[in-house]
């Protein structure tokens, strides 16, 4: 039976036999629409692999995570039932705490700073942080920088006090809102809109593309452009599988992944800016832009969260993240 590869909440699957006579078959299943950055990335991966490795590797793209779903995909990868995935960084918390550096609020100035960190030594080292768990990172894929939406205008940290915010499961995010005097409720993404609509929570943190696609702006009268954290995915492989691929083939696949990553991240940022413009045009939410002084007030309020998680994330990772900021280096 051939092993399977899967890529991401987009579940990528590579069935392979490394004998020259039998090509590696990559089954790529995804839960998102083909016109999203991830969906386009899957199709681009298929096209480039089959152009550059004809007869050696073929790719089949399947929708709707029909091979493995979110709940069991990482365990399938570790068992070598699946060889490639690109889950949200939040899903790796049980395997390493170091990736929580991307959740630390107001640590990075903007997406450019995130990109610089991910391309430098510490960011590249984090891709290897789970190899003891048989998980090797290959690339970071962006969803976008997070913004704060709420039923009241959030200009200063004290404005969030008393509100309840939806979060993904994350100890850092719980601490982030506790520092603001706010509650944090773990709610599935599919239920965020109704939870905002019925008042179960009064706010949330999301990239522009999530806010617009889920129509959150229609039930959130204020959105503060905080860019306070990044919602990213990591493309990962089963370690033993990945390094068992013949070197020449793996080198070509790595080059293709680099190209696809560039396009996925560019498309994600384009989508976020387009959706921000659509939200502004809709007129249902006031978009609040922080002054440099207001942003620094938020950062100062959040520094205790950095300190709280310094020992588990690694002070070296936090310090390296701060050095990529050009607006604020302290």
């Amino acid at each position: 039976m051939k092993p399977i590869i899967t890529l991401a909440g987009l579940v990528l699957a590579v069935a392979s036999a490394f004998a020259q006579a039998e090509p590696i078959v990559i089954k790529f299943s995804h839960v998102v629409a083909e016109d999203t950055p991830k969906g386009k990335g899957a199709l681009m991966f298929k096209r480039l692999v089959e152009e550059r490795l004809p007869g050696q590797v073929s790719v089949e793209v399947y929708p709707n995570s029909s091979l493995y779903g979110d709940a069991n995909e990482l365990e399938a990868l570790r068992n070598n039932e699946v060889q490639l995935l690109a889950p949200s960084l939040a899903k790796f918390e049980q395997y390493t705490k170091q990736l929580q550096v991307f959740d630390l609020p107001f640590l990075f100035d903007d997406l450019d700073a995130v990109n610089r960190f991910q391309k430098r030594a510490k960011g590249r080292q984090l891709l290897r942080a789970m190899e003891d768990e048989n998980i090797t990172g290959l690339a970071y894929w962006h969803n976008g920088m997070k913004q704060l939406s709420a039923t009241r205008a959030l200009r200063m940290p004290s404005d969030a006090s008393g509100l309840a915010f939806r979060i993904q499961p994350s100890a850092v995010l719980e601490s982030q809102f506790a520092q603001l005097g706010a509650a944090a409720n773990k709610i599935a993404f599919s239920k965020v809109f109704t939870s905002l609509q019925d008042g179960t929570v009064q706010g949330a943190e999301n990239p522009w593309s999530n806010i617009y696609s889920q129509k959150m702006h229609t039930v959130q009268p204020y959105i503060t452009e905080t860019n306070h954290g990044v919602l990213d995915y990591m493309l990962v492989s089963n370690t033993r599988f990945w390094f068992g691929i013949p070197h020449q083939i793996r080198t070509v696949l790595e080059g293709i992944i680099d190209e696809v990553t560039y396009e996925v991240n560019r498309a994600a940022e384009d989508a976020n800016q387009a959706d921000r413009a659509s939200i502004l045009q809709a007129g249902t939410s006031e978009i609040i832009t922080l002054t440099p002084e207001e942003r620094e007030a938020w950062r100062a309020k959040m520094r205790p969260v950095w300190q709280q998680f310094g020992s588990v994330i690694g002070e070296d990772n936090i310090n390296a993240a701060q050095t990529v900021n050009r607006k604020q280096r302290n």
Side-chain angles (χ1 to χ4, degrees):
M1 181 176 178
K2 299 177 183 177
I4 295 177
I5 281 194
T6 72
L7 174 91
L10 276 162
V11 178
L12 199 191
V14 170
S16 82
F18 292 126
Q20 288 183 332
E22 189 171 4
I24 299 169
V25 179
I26 300 179
K27 295 182 180 179
F28 194 149
S29 175
H30 60 83
V31 298
V32 297
E34 289 186 344
D35 61 350
T36 63
K38 273 192 177 184
K40 292 177 181 177
L43 294 176
M44 180 181 177
F45 181 81
K46 171 182 172 66
R47 175 175 59 82
L48 293 180
V49 167
E50 294 183 351
E51 284 177 0
R52 297 177 190 176
L53 293 167
Q56 300 177 77
V57 181
S58 64
V59 179
E60 300 170 3
V61 177
Y62 297 87
N64 302 320
S65 270
S66 54
L67 293 170
Y68 289 96
D70 287 350
N72 57 4
E73 61 181 7
L74 276 168
E75 192 58 31
L77 179 130
R78 296 176 69 228
N79 292 334
N80 202 33
E81 297 163 1
V82 177
Q83 287 74 43
L84 278 178
L85 301 170
S88 166
L89 294 180
K91 293 184 180 177
F92 297 114
E93 186 172 339
Q94 62 180 308
Y95 304 111
T96 179
K97 304 296 185 185
Q98 294 184 67
L99 292 173
Q100 290 178 326
V101 69
F102 295 107
D103 277 342
L104 290 177
F106 292 90
L107 179 62
F108 297 100
D109 281 337
D110 48 32
L111 189 60
D112 287 341
V114 173
N115 283 327
R116 286 192 291 272
F117 176 76
Q118 291 178 346
K119 291 174 182 176
R120 293 184 184 180
K122 279 297 177 185
R124 302 302 296 177
Q125 287 174 20
L126 290 180
L127 293 173
R128 313 293 293 271
M130 297 176 286
E131 291 196 338
D132 288 347
E133 300 288 346
N134 202 24
I135 300 171
T136 291
L138 304 175
Y140 296 102
W141 282 15
H142 295 330
N143 189 347
M145 298 297 285
K146 294 185 292 186
Q147 321 302 335
L148 280 178
S149 64
T151 53
R152 76 170 71 132
L154 305 178
R155 291 191 176 277
M156 298 297 288
S158 58
D159 295 331
S161 179
L163 298 180
F165 289 83
R166 178 266 173 178
I167 63 166
Q168 293 189 87
S170 167
V172 172
L173 299 183
E174 288 185 50
S175 180
Q176 166 185 289
F177 286 107
Q179 184 68 14
L180 296 173
N185 292 2
K186 301 171 187 175
I187 298 173
F189 184 67
S190 61
K191 298 180 180 179
V192 175
F193 176 83
T194 54
S195 297
L196 292 168
Q197 187 178 44
D198 65 20
T200 300
V201 290
Q202 296 80 52
E205 55 170 19
N206 286 282
W208 294 110
S209 58
N210 285 4
I211 295 171
Y212 186 67
S213 67
Q214 300 299 307
K215 304 185 187 304
M216 296 179 203
H217 61 292
T218 65
V219 291
Q220 295 278 263
Y222 300 98
I223 304 172
T224 304
E225 194 164 19
T226 50
N227 292 313
H228 63 279
V230 64
L231 189 57
D232 262 4
Y233 311 98
M234 184 186 286
L235 177 62
V236 294
S237 180
N238 176 290
T239 301
R240 289 188 287 273
F241 168 84
W242 186 253
F243 291 106
I245 296 174
H247 178 73
Q248 282 187 314
I249 293 177
R250 190 173 71 247
T251 299
V252 176
L253 290 173
E254 288 169 346
I256 291 170
I257 287 169
D258 286 345
E259 290 183 48
V260 173
T261 296
Y262 175 83
E263 289 300 325
V264 167
N265 290 346
R266 181 193 59 77
E269 180 59 9
D270 287 349
N272 274 290
Q273 293 309 310
D275 288 342
R276 181 190 185 281
S278 296
I279 292 169
L280 187 62
Q281 185 175 21
T284 54
S285 300
E286 178 185 346
I287 295 178
I288 298 168
T289 302
L290 298 177
T291 66
E293 293 76 20
E294 288 168 341
R295 183 176 175 81
E296 179 50 36
W298 283 87
R299 177 173 258 145
K301 184 68 175 178
M302 290 301 172
R303 280 197 174 93
V305 180
W306 307 358
Q307 295 162 3
Q308 178 184 348
F309 290 90
S311 60
V312 293
I313 292 174
E315 295 290 354
D316 55 338
N317 292 321
I318 296 173
N319 292 336
Q322 291 180 78
T323 64
V324 302
N325 289 325
R326 293 175 177 168
K327 299 173 185 175
Q328 169 60 266
R329 293 184 180 272
N330 295 325

